[in-house]
Amino acid sequence: MVESDSTDFSILYEENHRTIYHFLLKISGDPEVAEDLTQEAFLKVFTFYSKFDPERGSFTTWACSIAKNLYFKHYNKQKKEFGNLSIGDSHLEIEVNPEIPENLERAFLEKAIKDSIQSLPEPEKSIILLKELERKTLKETASALGISERTVSRRLISAVALLKEKMESQGLQF
C-alpha cells in the first residue's frame, strides 16, 4: 500500500469507525466486544483493502460485512466456550419505579422481549434488531448483513416465528 492509499484509508476509517462500532454494539450488546471487534474489523479491512470493489457496494457495506463475520466467529467461539449463556445481559437493565404497577408490568414485558431476542441465534437476532427495532429498510438490513433482500425477508419471517415461539413458551402472548 502506498502512502496515498494509507491516507485514503485513514479517511475511510475516520468516516466509518463509529458506524461499524455502533453496528457491532447493536448486535453484540457489549461495548467492549464492539470496540475489540471494530478494531479487528479495520485490521482486516486494511489487510484486504485491495480486494474492495466499489462497483459491488459501498465501503461501509463491505466493512460491515467483515465486522458481521467477525462477530459471528466471536459469538460461535463464545457459545462453544461458555455454552448457552445469554450475551449482552448487562445492557438489558431496566429502571422503573416499582411503586407503579403499570411500570412494573411494562418493564417485565420489555425485559422478556429483550431476553427472547437476545436468545435468538444469529443472524435472526441481527435481522430483528436492524429491521424491527432500528426500523431499517429491507435494503439497508440486507446491505448491513451482506445478504440479499429476499434472504432478509425470509429470515425475518422465521425469526419472528421463532421469537413468538420463545415468548409463548414463557407464557407470554405475542
Side-chain angles (χ1 to χ4, degrees):
M1 194 175 256
V2 294
E3 188 173 326
S4 67
D5 287 344
S6 295
T7 303
D8 292 344
F9 184 80
S10 67
I11 292 168
L12 287 171
Y13 175 84
E14 289 301 320
E15 291 174 349
N16 293 282
H17 173 263
R18 291 176 56 94
T19 302
I20 303 303
Y21 171 78
H22 287 290
F23 169 73
L24 287 165
L25 180 61
K26 196 59 145 170
I27 63 174
S28 72
D30 185 335
E32 289 180 28
V33 169
E35 186 61 40
D36 289 347
L37 292 178
T38 298
Q39 296 305 316
E40 194 173 334
F42 275 100
L43 284 173
K44 281 209 181 280
V45 165
F46 184 78
T47 303
F48 297 105
Y49 186 64
S50 63
K51 296 183 187 264
F52 169 62
D53 181 4
E55 291 187 17
R56 293 186 65 202
S58 73
F59 176 81
T60 304
T61 301
W62 182 65
C64 276
S65 290
I66 290 172
K68 171 199 62 146
N69 291 337
L70 286 170
Y71 171 72
F72 289 154
K73 184 178 175 183
H74 168 81
Y75 175 78
N76 288 331
K77 182 179 174 186
Q78 291 295 101
K79 193 173 178 182
K80 281 182 185 176
E81 287 179 14
F82 301 111
N84 287 330
L85 291 178
S86 177
I87 59 170
D89 284 338
S90 62
H91 79 289
L92 295 177
E93 297 302 317
I94 300 171
E95 292 184 33
V96 295
N97 180 352
E99 304 286 320
I100 305 170
E102 296 84 23
N103 285 351
L104 193 57
E105 183 178 348
R106 182 172 164 248
F108 172 78
L109 288 173
E110 285 178 7
K111 179 148 178 39
I113 291 168
K114 287 178 181 179
D115 286 346
S116 294
I117 291 170
Q118 286 295 322
S119 71
L120 292 175
E122 289 294 349
E124 286 80 3
K125 178 173 96 174
S126 295
I127 288 172
I128 285 183
L129 288 173
L130 290 168
K131 180 74 180 83
E132 298 302 318
L133 298 181
E134 287 190 20
R135 301 286 185 213
K136 300 286 186 187
T137 65
L138 276 176
K139 187 174 187 171
E140 291 169 329
T141 303
S143 177
L145 296 176
I147 57 180
S148 72
E149 290 177 46
R150 185 169 185 221
T151 301
V152 169
S153 183
R154 280 194 332 252
R155 288 187 178 167
L156 179 60
I157 292 168
S158 72
V160 169
L162 187 57
L163 182 59
K164 181 179 179 183
E165 183 181 303
K166 285 184 178 286
M167 293 191 65
E168 286 175 351
S169 73
Q170 297 174 19
L172 301 168
Q173 293 296 318
F174 189 77

